[in-house]
Amino acid sequence: HSAAVFPPDLNSLPQRFKNAMKSQWLAPVLEETFGDPIDAELWKANNPMALVAALKKDELQDLQIYFDAGTKDRYGFHATNELLHAAMEKAKLAHTWRKIEGGGHSWGEGLATSSLPDSLRFVAQQFAKAQGQSIHVTGNDTVQSLHFALLLNQFGARAAQLVAQACAGLFQFLA
């Protein structure tokens, strides 16, 4: 589970990124969003690293930003995520960054235990904050984090309970 952070300059993309951009999941999204061939100016204007460099701190200060990347991400996204983290630190932008030692990119590479609980906890806390509430979810209780996130986003208790039960079953299956 890694944020797909690409370098802002399309002409200097390492081969691993070019390969990732041709994947069956990413290629259609990129084409729909940036055109085919990719519009380099549109790409740069929407690139997280370029945005951090171009925008003023007060234009980004209300964003709640979380991203993580595994050091064994098959696309090498951990390196660009670390660059984004460094750029945000330099710009003094609040964010939550997690480098997951040994973590991969997808479900079969430890996502359920290495990063999903923290991701969902962050989402739950942001929903609570937006509703003027606060919650404190500790440990790796993914189901509790998801339950809070759904409840606080006003999906209702029953929906949250059903999804939490389904996720609990999924995580037991994946373990």
Side-chain angles (χ1 to χ4, degrees):
H1 177 254
S2 297
V5 176
F6 290 87
D9 181 10
L10 281 171
N11 295 321
S12 66
L13 288 178
Q15 190 60 44
R16 70 180 184 275
F17 288 117
K18 291 176 184 174
N19 293 343
M21 293 169 75
K22 294 176 186 173
S23 75
Q24 65 183 354
W25 297 280
L26 193 53
V29 173
L30 291 174
E31 183 177 322
E32 182 179 326
T33 307
F34 299 106
D36 185 18
I38 291 176
D39 179 327
E41 290 304 313
L42 182 60
W43 172 271
K44 189 172 182 176
N46 290 282
N47 181 282
M49 287 194 282
L51 289 169
V52 167
L55 297 175
K56 295 178 180 142
K57 182 179 177 181
D58 62 337
E59 294 176 288
L60 299 171
Q61 71 183 3
D62 291 334
L63 292 178
Q64 304 302 311
I65 301 170
Y66 173 96
F67 56 105
D68 60 36
T71 58
K72 291 192 177 180
D73 181 287
R74 67 180 169 267
Y75 301 111
F77 286 133
H78 66 282
T80 48
N81 276 266
E82 285 188 284
L83 291 173
L84 177 60
H85 166 64
M88 293 182 79
E89 287 284 305
K90 183 178 178 183
K92 296 184 177 29
L93 294 171
H95 64 285
T96 300
W97 151 247
R98 290 188 61 241
K99 179 166 96 174
I100 300 161
E101 291 296 333
H105 184 80
S106 62
W107 284 101
E109 298 170 332
L111 167 67
T113 57
S114 65
S115 64
L116 190 58
D118 288 316
S119 297
L120 291 174
R121 186 178 309 107
F122 181 85
V123 170
Q125 289 167 341
Q126 300 319 306
F127 282 147
K129 187 176 177 182
Q131 305 255 340
Q133 302 174 24
S134 67
I135 60 168
H136 185 67
V137 181
T138 59
N140 279 346
D141 194 339
T142 304
V143 175
Q144 184 181 4
S145 297
L146 180 60
H147 185 81
F148 277 124
L150 292 172
L151 278 174
L152 294 166
N153 200 31
Q154 300 177 341
F155 284 115
R158 183 66 184 142
Q161 183 181 21
L162 291 172
V163 172
Q165 288 170 349
C167 286
L170 173 65
F171 296 135
Q172 286 176 350
F173 174 77
L174 292 172

